[in-house]
Amino acid sequence: MTHQVRAVVARGKGAPVSLETIIVPDPGPGEALVKIEACGVCHTDLHYREGGINDDFPFLLGHEAAGVVESVGEGVTDVAPGDFVILNWRAVCGQCRACLRGRPWYCFNTHNAKQKMTLTDGTELSPALGIGAFAEKTLVAAGQCTKVDRTASAAAAGLLGCGVMAGIGAAINTGNVGRGDSVAVIGCGGVGAAAIAGSNLAGAAKVIAVDIDDRKLETAKKLGATHTVNSKDADAVEAIRELTGGFGADVVIEAVGRPETYKQAFYARDLAGTVVLVGVPTPEMKLELPLLDVFGRGGALKSSWYGDCLPSRDFPMLIDLYLQGRLDLDAFVTETIALDEVEKAFERMHHGDVLRSVVVI
Ligand code: APR
Ligand code: ZN
Ligand code: ZN
């Protein structure tokens, strides 16, 4: 059997997305059909639309999603129809060297659903990050589904599927923020704001939010920033040093992805401090640094891929904290929108108006 559902498709480089009818097959072996309830609009979706990832158009966009498993294919035992799940980028094997060493995002044998979703004329769709969740239903590998406790807001839960997990994970997994640490977060969009929330969960004593947009600094305060710095008005490195007794932060998290902010992160760390790079640079960006500074300041320089998360460990834990009122996922949801408003959401994202617009179906 197949399912005809409405979905958001990017047909060609830079062209506005369109709401279309797509065909979703029933799940085959190892696959799950998920009825999507909510899906956040992320920069990566826009990046797909702009042809910045590859040119496998048409793309089925959307990848920050939560929903309910409708049916599963042969051999699927980890999730069952009726389960409330958060989707992740790809199923990992759990057996290769990367998986066994706790780095599943570097897994050698990742996979998505084998069957293809199509347009009504049979054209195969490329689902964004192997998910494609701006759709009433989508087909994924069962290993991309993590069962979590039911939440009142599917919009909040879905955010753990990408940006918010990337930010929280940068603090608690990659940066290993610990009790009493000072943390500086450079760039307080959705990802940076989540890094602030994560630093708080980890028990940081001081959380310094840095951004050039006062609106983002206001939200950062709501999520637990103890200090804010507008780096349009002040030198970010000087300000962070001043706020940390002249030393610099134990952990600096960069969530912009530009050479000047990478450099700030590098110099704002305390001696032997840790720099966590979450912001994704473009291929042409370069940064020149005196080697003596690289050597002399010691510490660690780490990049964080998907917050170094283990979905089966981290998603249920963070949903628990949300349900207990200890993690304010709702603060990330600036607006909820309908499927046919994704293009408008891209526009608002471009102007920095939102932390997250979330499609609710
Ligand atoms: N200094 C400080 N903050 C800056 C600067 C700067 N020079 N330039 C931009 N910013 C701020 C913006 O004002 C915004 O608040 O960085 C923030 C970026 O946030 P978003 O655009 O919402 O992006 P987000 O979704 O948070 O992702 C940030 O992380 O995962 C990566 O690919 C993602 O590279 C992107 C980064
Ligand atoms: Zn994303
Ligand atoms: Zn593996």
Side-chain angles (χ1 to χ4, degrees), residues 42 44 63-64 129 162-163:
C42 173
T44 306
H63 62 274
E64 266 186 11
L129 288 169
C162 183

Side-chain angles (χ1 to χ4, degrees), residues 42-44 163 166 186-193 210-213 216 231-232 254-258 260-261 264 278-281 304 349 352 354-356:
C42 173
H43 285 79
T44 306
I186 303 177
C188 303
V191 174
V210 181
D211 204 291
I212 49 174
D213 183 337
K216 299 296 168 71
S231 52
K232 249 189 189 159
E254 200 278 2
V256 184
R258 299 193 52 78
E260 62 271 25
T261 42
Q264 287 168 358
V278 194
V280 183
S304 184
M349 178 193 280
V354 290
L355 273 194
R356 273 298 188 265

Side-chain angles (χ1 to χ4, degrees), residues 41-100:
V41 182
C42 173
H43 285 79
T44 306
D45 294 306
L46 184 56
H47 210 40
Y48 272 108
R49 194 202 73 173
E50 285 169 349
I53 297 192
N54 57 55
D55 56 5
D56 290 341
F57 289 99
F59 289 110
L60 171 56
L61 298 183
H63 62 274
E64 266 186 11
V68 172
V69 175
E70 183 167 304
S71 56
V72 296
E74 208 186 301
V76 175
T77 52
D78 286 349
V79 285
D83 284 353
F84 182 61
V85 294
I86 299 175
L87 301 182
N88 72 66
W89 298 350
R90 51 201 180 217
V92 297
C93 78
Q95 286 164 10
C96 72
R97 184 171 179 275
C99 283
L100 291 175

